[in-house]
């Protein structure tokens, strides 16, 4: 489990094909590895990955074909910068929102522009994820916990403040047209699944593809999930 508060950035050191999968090696001189052990999880651009090898300033993870197919990892290249967050501890300050590190889909950067001291961004997310987003709700992009300003159909509009621009890869490396990892609010996902069961008496195999979802912004507002 993660919070979406980025601890440091890392650099992709190597992407090695291994038996049809990929072994990804990420190097960081800023991440504290003193409490990281083999088998621990590190969110890398928002993807929960298991450490299988490590040194004083790097770690290696194995990435399955399933993960490659569902994320923007296939566009990563050696030298790319990624956002890093170690799995949260029970004593960790909960500064972001509940982030599972399970990417729901891939979004596309549609707009980046300076807005006073912040940066205004528009992200096109997959249509089947749009109903999980809400104005002033939470969304995770490349592992960063962000608050949406506005949602227009499947376009998520938001601003990042100078601090976020400094400690993540957004301002330094995102370009219009780039793909980003999207994780919607986990509360919205489970709420929809429970709501569907209550209304139909059965549990859908995959709530994210259910076109008859009754989870709407109005429903969330009526039930106290939005201010």
């Amino acid at each position: 489990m993660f919070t979406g508060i980025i601890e440091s950035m890392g650099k992709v050191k190597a992407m090695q094909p291994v038996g049809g999968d990929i072994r990804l090696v990420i190097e960081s001189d800023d991440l504290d590895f003193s409490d990281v052990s083999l088998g621990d999880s590190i969110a890398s651009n928002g993807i929960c990955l298991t450490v299988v090898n490590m040194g004083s300033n790097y770690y290696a993870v194995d990435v399955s074909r399933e993960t490659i197919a569902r994320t923007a990892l296939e566009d990563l290249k050696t030298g790319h910068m990624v956002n890093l967050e170690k799995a949260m501890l029970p004593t960790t300050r909960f500064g972001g929102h509940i982030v599972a590190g399970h990417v729901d889909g891939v979004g596309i950067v549609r707009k980046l522009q300076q807005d006073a001291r912040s940066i205004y961004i528009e992200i096109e997310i997959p249509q089947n994820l749009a109903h999980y987003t809400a104005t002033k709700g939470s969304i995770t992009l490349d592992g960063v916990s962000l608050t949406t300003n506005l949602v227009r159909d499947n376009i998520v509009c938001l601003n990042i403040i100078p601090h976020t621009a400094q400690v993540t890869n957004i301002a330094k490396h995102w370009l219009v047209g780039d793909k980003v990892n999207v994780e919607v609010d986990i509360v919205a996902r489970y709420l929809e699944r429970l709501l569907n069961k209550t209304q139909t008496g059965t549990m859908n195999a995959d709530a994210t593809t259910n076109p008859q979802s009754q989870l709407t912004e109005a429903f969330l507002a009526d039930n106290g999930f939005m201010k």
Side-chain angles (χ1 to χ4, degrees):
M1 193 66 69
F2 307 91
T3 68
I5 303 300
I6 302 304
E7 296 181 65
S8 73
M9 284 186 286
K11 180 183 291 186
V12 176
K13 190 71 173 176
M15 297 185 71
Q16 306 161 343
V18 180
D21 297 330
I22 291 178
R23 176 158 293 186
L24 180 64
V25 181
I26 296 176
E27 181 182 67
S28 176
D29 292 324
D30 298 321
L31 190 69
D32 179 10
F33 286 93
S34 64
D35 59 350
V36 177
S37 303
L38 295 182
D40 284 353
S41 297
I42 298 178
S44 310
N45 261 11
I47 309 167
C48 178
L49 297 170
T50 302
V51 176
V52 298
N53 190 15
M54 60 179 294
S56 60
N57 71 336
Y58 76 91
Y59 65 97
V61 295
D62 286 331
V63 185
S64 69
R65 287 184 291 179
E66 167 73 7
T67 300
I68 295 168
R70 288 182 173 267
T71 69
L73 267 179
E74 64 179 2
D75 287 349
L76 276 185
K77 299 290 187 298
T78 301
H80 278 192
M81 302 301 294
V82 293
N83 299 316
L84 306 180
E85 181 190 357
K86 294 181 292 187
M88 65 182 297
L89 301 171
T91 54
T92 302
R93 179 172 292 166
F94 213 138
H97 71 284
I98 299 173
V99 176
H102 302 155
V103 174
D104 293 301
V106 176
I108 301 174
V109 180
R110 291 303 186 195
K111 182 178 286 189
L112 282 167
Q113 64 183 40
Q114 201 68 36
D115 182 11
R117 293 174 59 240
S118 68
I119 300 174
Y120 173 78
I121 302 171
E122 292 186 1
I123 305 290
E124 178 184 346
I125 66 173
Q127 191 70 53
N128 68 319
L129 298 180
H131 65 283
Y132 294 108
T133 61
T135 298
K136 299 306 177 185
S138 296
I139 193 168
T140 307
L141 301 175
D142 271 359
V144 186
S145 172
L146 297 166
T147 301
T148 60
N149 295 342
L150 179 69
V151 178
R152 300 194 311 266
D153 190 25
N154 66 325
I155 301 295
V156 175
C157 310
L158 49 93
N159 282 66
I160 63 166
I161 62 174
H163 175 77
T164 304
Q166 181 180 0
V167 300
T168 71
N169 66 1
I170 295 176
K172 299 178 179 69
H173 300 286
W174 281 15
L175 298 172
V176 172
D178 280 355
K179 296 177 181 178
V180 296
N181 295 314
V182 178
E183 181 182 334
V184 297
D185 192 346
I186 193 171
V187 175
R189 280 192 289 168
Y190 280 108
L191 182 60
E192 177 186 60
R193 193 161 170 80
L194 290 170
L195 181 62
N196 286 338
K197 179 174 175 58
T198 301
Q199 292 179 340
T200 66
T202 59
M203 193 71 81
N204 292 320
D206 184 2
T208 65
T209 60
N210 175 24
Q212 304 301 320
S213 170
Q214 300 300 308
L215 183 61
T216 64
E217 188 171 332
F219 175 87
L220 293 173
D222 291 343
N223 289 273
F225 287 94
M226 297 173 58
K227 295 181 179 179

